[in-house]
């Protein structure tokens, strides 16, 4: 079996990956670990983004944006079979840490936010800059976290438009970020 | 080893910029450094996020610019400069009579609009603290931004403003000159007094940085 201490090895192990051919992944993104990393169609991974599957598999849906310095994946040993699932149309901004079990469709994780291990985010949630979601917390759909842990439910009903805007943003990023799919396969 | 002296932490450019070897500068051709600017280790500058929306006038001459930085700026360890991006409102909206239902207006707006990044402009003597992420549109001269801040997209920070540690400046906020901003979300909490203004000269700091 894959060794759990792989991350301390001098050369980071290359994880098994399942990458969509339409994925845009920068050369300086880092995929490490030993479990499977799945990245869906049209997703964009910025340079210096870190996906770490040392402690569990990572699944990212289609039309997602993973920004630089963000850390996706469990950062410490978890229960067996625990992993991180990010659904479609999710934006993970600069420096965010995502360890949650499921991030629902259309969520936005803002700059330097932290989403704790085992948490479940419903669809179209927004975690504001520097906000934190505790471990095992369950957020209903449309929850917005902002300021110092304040929260509200967003009922503006524009989620379809937001998903389209994410798609537009991805169209532009694909032109700007040179992709190097072969390096990670 | 080599005949050259030991390699230092910083590379000094012709115009006197001191750039750490461990900084991560992406899209160098789209970045303008005014000179005498210090870029510490682990700083990320995203010069690759260029404007894709065609500019109405000027441009087209010379290189496109994503990040423009003035003289004597200081970027502390681990901060990040990132040009802001937004949806640009589409022209198709004008085809609709103003009495049409709002969902239709929204629909057309997204249909006729495009996403584009816009240049990030930083003037002279700007200090940015460690771990701060800047997605502002404009930062004036002699601005000091603390550690661990988040400067939201398209924020405009005017001359001599101060941003305290850990502030989250919301997107599109305009910070007036000489104001002190703090909190989450950032609000104006005070004013910079006359006497303090002298402390905003970064020439000494620049001289202190070396190999």
């Amino acid at each position: 079996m894959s060794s759990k201490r792989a991350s301390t090895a001098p050369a980071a192990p290359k994880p098994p990956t399942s990458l969509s051919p339409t994925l845009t992944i920068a050369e300086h993104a880092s995929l490490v670990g030993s479990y499977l990393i799945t990245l869906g169609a049209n997703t964009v991974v910025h340079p210096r983004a870190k996906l770490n599957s040392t402690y569990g598999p990572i699944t990212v849906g289609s039309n997602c944006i993973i920004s630089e310095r963000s850390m996706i994946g469990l950062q410490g040993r978890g229960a067996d079979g625990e992993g991180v699932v990010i659904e479609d149309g999710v934006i993970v901004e600069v420096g965010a840490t995502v360890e949650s079990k499921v991030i629902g469709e259309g969520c936005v994780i803002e700059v330097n936010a932290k989403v704790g291990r085992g948490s479940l985010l419903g669809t179209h949630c927004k975690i504001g800059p520097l906000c934190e979601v505790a471990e095992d917390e369950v957020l209903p759909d449309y929850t917005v976290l902002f300021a110092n842990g304040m929260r509200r439910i967003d009922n503006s009903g524009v989620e379809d438009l937001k998903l389209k805007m994410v798609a537009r943003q991805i169209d532009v990023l694909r032109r700007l970020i040179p992709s190097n799919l072969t390096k990670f396969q | 080893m080599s005949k050259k002296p030991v390699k230092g932490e910083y590379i000094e450019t012709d115009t006197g910029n001191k750039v750490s070897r461990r900084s991560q500068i992406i899209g160098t051709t789209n970045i303008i450094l005014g000179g005498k600017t210090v870029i510490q280790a682990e700083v990320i500058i995203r010069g690759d996020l260029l404007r894709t929306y065609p500019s109405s006038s000027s441009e087209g001459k010379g290189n496109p610019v994503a990040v423009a930085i003035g003289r004597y700026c200081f970027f502390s360890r681990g901060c990040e400069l990132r040009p802001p991006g937004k949806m640009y409102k589409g022209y198709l909206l004008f085809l609709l009579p103003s009495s049409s239902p709002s969902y239709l207006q929204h629909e057309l707006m997204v249909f006729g609009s495009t996403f584009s990044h816009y240049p990030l402009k930083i003037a002279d003597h700007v200090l940015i603290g460690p771990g701060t992420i800047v997605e502002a549109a404009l930062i004036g001269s002699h601005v000091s931004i603390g550690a661990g801040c988040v400067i939201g997209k398209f924020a405009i920070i005017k001359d001599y403003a101060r941003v305290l540690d850990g502030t989250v400046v919301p997107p599109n906020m305009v910070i007036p000159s000489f104001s002190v901003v703090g909190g989450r979300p950032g609000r104006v909490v005070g004013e910079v007094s006359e006497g303090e203004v002298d402390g905003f000269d970064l020439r000494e700091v620049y001289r202190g940085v070396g190999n």
Side-chain angles (χ1 to χ4, degrees):
Chain A
M1 277 305 291
S2 54
S3 90
K4 285 280 199 301
R5 296 180 56 84
S7 64
T8 58
K14 219 173 161 182
T17 52
S18 159
L19 306 179
S20 160
T22 55
L23 173 75
T24 304
I25 183 164
E27 193 182 343
H28 289 290
S30 91
L31 305 186
V32 292
S34 40
Y35 286 92
L36 181 68
I37 297 181
T38 310
L39 296 169
N42 297 326
T43 288
V44 174
V45 183
H46 280 268
R48 313 281 171 187
K50 290 194 183 91
L51 285 84
N52 185 346
S53 70
T54 312
Y55 302 103
I58 298 173
T59 309
V60 179
S62 57
N63 285 323
C64 292
I65 300 175
I66 312 287
S67 303
E68 59 268 32
R69 275 204 195 133
S70 57
M71 307 223 283
I72 316 287
L74 299 175
Q75 307 295 319
R77 191 167 311 172
D80 276 347
E82 194 183 346
V84 172
V85 175
I86 295 179
E87 289 180 358
D88 301 347
V90 173
I91 299 183
V92 179
E93 279 284 1
V94 183
T97 308
V98 176
E99 296 186 78
S100 76
K101 202 181 275 172
V102 178
I103 302 258
E105 185 192 26
C107 283
V108 180
I109 316 295
E110 279 283 358
V111 178
N112 282 351
K114 280 196 179 65
V115 185
R117 149 182 307 205
S119 56
L120 289 167
L121 271 64
T123 56
H124 305 284
C125 289
K126 180 169 180 174
I127 314 299
L130 305 177
C131 288
E132 290 188 20
V133 177
E135 287 187 16
D136 300 317
E137 203 174 344
V138 178
L139 293 185
D141 296 354
Y142 306 105
T143 306
V144 181
L145 253 71
F146 59 103
N148 293 318
M150 309 261 280
R151 51 189 69 189
R152 64 182 176 92
I153 299 291
D154 175 28
N155 48 17
S156 57
V158 291
E159 59 275 1
D160 287 347
L161 295 171
K162 280 184 184 164
L163 286 180
K164 282 179 194 162
M165 287 190 189
V166 174
R168 287 292 157 85
Q169 190 171 347
I170 287 172
D171 287 343
V172 169
L173 290 175
R174 294 172 87 164
R175 278 186 276 152
L176 293 175
I177 299 178
S179 184
N180 190 349
L181 213 57
T182 47
K183 184 185 165 189
F184 299 98
Q185 269 163 344
Chain B
M1 293 218 321
S2 67
K3 52 258 165 226
K4 276 191 179 168
V6 190
K7 272 188 187 174
E9 153 109 45
Y10 292 95
I11 301 166
E12 203 169 327
T13 66
D14 293 341
T15 45
N17 298 301
K18 293 173 180 174
V19 182
S20 169
R21 289 174 201 280
R22 288 180 292 147
S23 61
Q24 297 156 0
I25 299 179
I26 306 162
T28 37
T29 49
N30 308 323
I31 299 172
I32 293 180
L33 289 177
K36 316 259 182 189
T37 283
V38 179
I39 298 174
Q40 288 198 314
E42 288 159 48
V43 172
I44 298 185
I45 302 181
R46 294 296 303 265
D48 56 336
L49 302 180
L50 273 176
R51 180 190 184 113
T52 42
Y53 187 82
S55 179
S56 51
S57 58
S58 60
E59 241 163 277
K61 46 180 197 269
N63 268 342
V65 177
V67 180
I69 299 166
R71 293 163 67 79
Y72 289 107
C73 291
F74 190 94
F75 303 114
S76 313
R77 196 187 181 89
C79 72
E80 167 158 357
L81 307 179
R82 197 178 207 251
K86 68 172 175 185
M87 299 295 293
Y88 193 88
K89 275 204 196 82
Y91 56 92
L92 284 171
L93 200 57
F94 300 112
L95 299 177
L96 274 183
S98 54
S99 56
S100 50
S102 68
Y103 73 89
L104 240 177
Q105 291 187 11
H106 271 293
E107 196 68 43
L108 259 191
M109 194 184 103
V110 172
F111 182 74
S113 57
T114 45
F115 180 90
S116 175
H117 292 93
Y118 291 83
L120 161 59
K121 288 173 186 156
I122 297 180
D124 306 335
H125 295 276
V126 173
L127 169 71
I128 296 186
T132 289
I133 288 150
V134 178
E135 288 187 89
L138 191 67
I139 297 182
S141 291
H142 302 272
V143 168
S144 144
I145 298 175
C149 297
V150 178
I151 311 296
K153 294 183 174 76
F154 293 97
I156 294 176
I157 305 182
K158 303 216 165 155
D159 297 354
Y160 289 98
R162 278 190 67 191
V163 179
L164 304 177
D165 289 356
T167 303
V168 175
V169 174
N172 305 314
M173 183 180 183
V174 178
I175 299 179
S177 303
F178 294 100
S179 49
V180 179
V181 173
R184 286 164 55 182
R187 294 187 178 91
V188 177
V189 293
E191 251 178 46
V192 177
S193 58
E194 287 286 309
E196 274 181 275
V197 169
D198 297 338
F200 280 85
D201 199 293
L202 293 180
R203 259 173 277 200
E204 277 307 312
V205 183
Y206 167 77
R207 276 182 214 118
V209 173
N211 290 315

